[in-house]
Amino acid sequence: MIHTSRITLLFLILCSLQWRGNTLTSNAFDSITKEASTVEGHDSHNNATNLPKRPILQPKETVPLQFTCTLKNPQGKVCVRASLGVEYVVRVNKKNYYYNLNPSLIQATGYCGDTKSVLSLDFEGGHLEFTFIKEGGFSYVKTIKGLLNPAPPCKKCQSKPYIGIVDHENLFKTSNGLSFKCKSETMLILANNFRVKLIPLQMQAFDLANGAFGKDAECWADYNKRMIPIILGAVAAAVCLIAILTFVLVRERRGQGYEQL
């Protein structure tokens, strides 16, 4: 009996120590996660406990809220920084439905490396993951993965998750130390019935001085929007100049003809 009581007591002590160890490990992991990532948005002060857990699709499109998120390396330095607005677009029964990311519901996770970094925007019912690659004198996004598990948008609509990926691409490519910036919308086709729209967008994953964005590398859409009016204005000015010169030359020739008569 004494031997059995000692075994029972020893078993209870070991269970207690294991429970305390698991609790301490969990708390330490939580603290590291919170220190390693931040998300700043317009509605970050809202209480998310009263909001629905599954994303609710909307029949009409609205402009998504812009937010900024960062990741830090073990030394506490910012290694990934992104500022963007995210809109999911899914097609159900030949009709588009929309879901905008709420900054107050997002948790930024991932990791940083010398040549590869991953930023994942996680929320209840989905995530959006970016894989950054540094190669030579350039950096770019190689892979974008998306997941959305919304509530059915209609009574006859099927409840299902939407999963997609864009892989083996040189997206948002810039020289090292620069940040990719695009004010125009960027549409990513992850699957036939699943797209993600980013508007606006600015991100950088390597060589962030003091945690801030480097000099902007303008996207082609913004460049075209900025240059097309300039080109059209130059063409219009050239046409006007040609018309004026033509008028002057014709007038001079007519004047010379009158003098000969």
Side-chain angles (χ1 to χ4, degrees), residues 177-243:
L178 303 183
S179 65
F180 180 87
K181 186 175 184 179
C182 196
K183 298 178 182 178
S184 305
E185 68 177 45
T186 302
M187 182 67 76
L188 304 170
I189 303 176
L190 304 184
N192 292 333
N193 58 349
F194 185 33
R195 301 184 179 190
V196 171
K197 181 187 294 186
L198 308 177
I199 180 172
L201 171 65
Q202 186 174 11
M203 56 175 45
Q204 184 178 347
F206 306 100
D207 305 318
L208 285 93
N210 300 321
F213 284 124
K215 186 178 179 181
D216 300 343
E218 190 178 32
C219 67
W220 275 109
D222 288 355
Y223 176 81
N224 290 335
K225 286 183 178 179
R226 182 170 58 85
M227 292 304 297
I228 287 176
I230 296 175
I231 294 173
L232 292 177
V235 170
V239 170
C240 292
L241 180 60
I242 292 173

Side-chain angles (χ1 to χ4, degrees), residues 123-209:
F123 57 96
E124 191 73 26
H127 73 266
L128 187 63
E129 181 182 288
F130 301 87
T131 300
F132 300 87
I133 299 295
K134 183 178 181 181
E135 190 174 25
F138 300 93
S139 60
Y140 56 90
V141 173
K142 180 181 180 181
T143 305
I144 299 177
K145 300 178 182 178
L147 167 66
L148 186 67
N149 187 21
C154 62
K155 294 182 179 180
K156 296 182 180 180
C157 294
Q158 183 181 1
S159 177
K160 66 175 183 179
Y162 297 87
I163 303 172
I165 184 173
V166 177
D167 199 6
H168 301 295
E169 298 287 345
N170 292 344
L171 298 172
F172 317 142
K173 188 174 183 179
T174 66
S175 300
N176 292 335
L178 303 183
S179 65
F180 180 87
K181 186 175 184 179
C182 196
K183 298 178 182 178
S184 305
E185 68 177 45
T186 302
M187 182 67 76
L188 304 170
I189 303 176
L190 304 184
N192 292 333
N193 58 349
F194 185 33
R195 301 184 179 190
V196 171
K197 181 187 294 186
L198 308 177
I199 180 172
L201 171 65
Q202 186 174 11
M203 56 175 45
Q204 184 178 347
F206 306 100
D207 305 318
L208 285 93

